[in-house]
Amino acid sequence: SSYIEREKKNLDELYSSLLFKFTTYHSRRPKKTTTYLASLGQRSKELIASARDAYMERLDSSDLPASQKAMLVRIAGLRDADTSSANKNEIDVTEEDGALSLPNAKRMLKWLAEGVGRGLELSGGNETPKDVKELLNLLLANMGELYLDTALDAADGMAASQESAKGEPDLSYILDLRAAIGILHLMVTCIYTVLIPLAASNLTIRRDLEKSTTNFVNRMEERVNSIMQRTIDASLTY
């Protein structure tokens, strides 16, 4: 159990680093919904604030080796000067930092697969189903809720605002919607190819994994359907 906790901590730090500029961008959005990337739900705001704060606290931790801190800063695309207390609120981010990135999604899945590989080598297989469940929950929380759900929630908010637009509707959010669908497909493929087969020896855990995955996919598909319906309504109204 101590190993899987360390693995989760490692992956959590990598994910927080990679998504730091994404969360920073969204944490600075205008209070009023003026652009697609500015429209976020309350749950997304809380997730973003929590992830961003946890990352900065980790960088300030006295037990973090210098080499590991340098790696986390590099993954986040920051400079050492950006991590000082005076500069934390002055980190430069662009609209691109707030958009979904297929390469970043692939990195997250690659890190997960590497973690699974290490776990298989070190655990001997006895605790593999339980370990896989822990890793799936971590993936759904970071790549699922913090990354995908945030983007789809923003797109849904922007689509809703276009339903009452007086002029031609702004459908720029469609680009990120396409990326979200592609990332969701990759994520589900990874779960069913890498994680769920490793829980085959424990039927109860396997069912839990399948249920969690199905619930997550259903929620994401409902968001996609909502966005598409709002887009059609706004277009027909125009």
Side-chain angles (χ1 to χ4, degrees):
S1 63
S2 62
Y3 170 71
I4 192 60
E5 289 303 318
R6 193 170 185 85
E7 188 65 69
K8 283 168 56 183
K9 183 179 179 182
N10 171 60
L11 286 171
D12 202 36
E13 288 177 351
L14 290 173
Y15 289 163
S16 297
S17 301
L18 188 63
L19 300 181
F20 178 71
K21 283 194 172 183
F22 177 85
T23 55
T24 298
Y25 179 93
H26 285 293
S27 70
R28 296 177 182 174
R29 76 200 183 288
K31 289 187 178 180
K32 291 185 178 180
T33 301
T34 55
T35 66
Y36 152 51
L37 290 173
S39 51
L40 292 170
Q42 185 61 35
R43 178 172 173 75
S44 295
K45 290 187 229 174
E46 293 171 357
L47 285 170
I48 284 170
S50 175
R52 183 171 179 270
D53 292 346
Y55 174 78
M56 298 309 289
E57 287 174 8
R58 182 57 179 157
L59 289 185
D60 289 338
S61 175
S62 59
D63 65 347
L64 184 67
S67 59
Q68 191 173 353
K69 179 177 180 178
M71 179 196 70
L72 296 179
V73 169
R74 186 175 68 252
I75 290 173
L78 303 176
R79 299 164 301 175
D80 289 336
D82 294 330
T83 62
S84 66
S85 299
N87 295 330
K88 285 179 183 176
N89 295 318
E90 300 175 5
I91 295 170
D92 292 330
V93 290
T94 65
E95 186 160 321
E96 185 179 353
D97 293 321
L100 292 175
S101 163
L102 194 58
N104 281 351
K106 289 180 178 179
R107 287 183 80 181
M108 295 173 79
L109 293 175
K110 180 184 177 184
W111 288 334
L112 178 81
E114 291 170 348
V116 170
R118 285 190 292 269
L120 289 174
E121 288 182 23
L122 295 171
S123 70
N126 295 331
E127 298 295 321
T128 296
K130 292 180 181 179
D131 293 351
V132 165
K133 184 177 180 179
E134 296 281 353
L135 294 177
L136 175 65
N137 291 336
L138 184 73
L139 183 69
L140 292 180
N142 285 275
M143 190 171 175
E145 293 191 37
L146 184 61
Y147 200 43
L148 267 182
D149 198 27
T150 293
L152 288 175
D153 190 47
D156 197 29
M158 184 61 178
S161 71
Q162 297 309 301
E163 289 181 291
S164 57
K166 294 181 179 179
E168 182 176 353
D170 175 10
L171 305 181
S172 58
Y173 56 86
I174 289 291
L175 293 175
D176 233 27
L177 178 63
R178 181 178 182 180
I181 294 171
I183 290 171
L184 176 62
H185 176 72
L186 278 179
M187 185 177 172
V188 172
T189 300
C190 177
I191 290 172
Y192 278 99
T193 304
V194 178
L195 297 180
I196 290 181
L198 293 174
S201 61
N202 189 314
L203 188 58
T204 301
I205 291 180
R206 181 187 174 96
R207 285 174 177 166
D208 285 345
L209 298 186
E210 291 175 340
K211 184 177 180 180
S212 297
T213 303
T214 299
N215 289 341
F216 169 73
V217 172
N218 288 343
R219 195 166 73 250
M220 295 301 98
E221 289 181 343
E222 284 174 5
R223 281 203 181 279
V224 171
N225 291 341
S226 172
I227 295 165
M228 294 308 298
Q229 186 60 58
R230 292 182 191 280
T231 302
I232 292 169
D233 291 344
S235 302
L236 289 175
T237 299
Y238 174 68

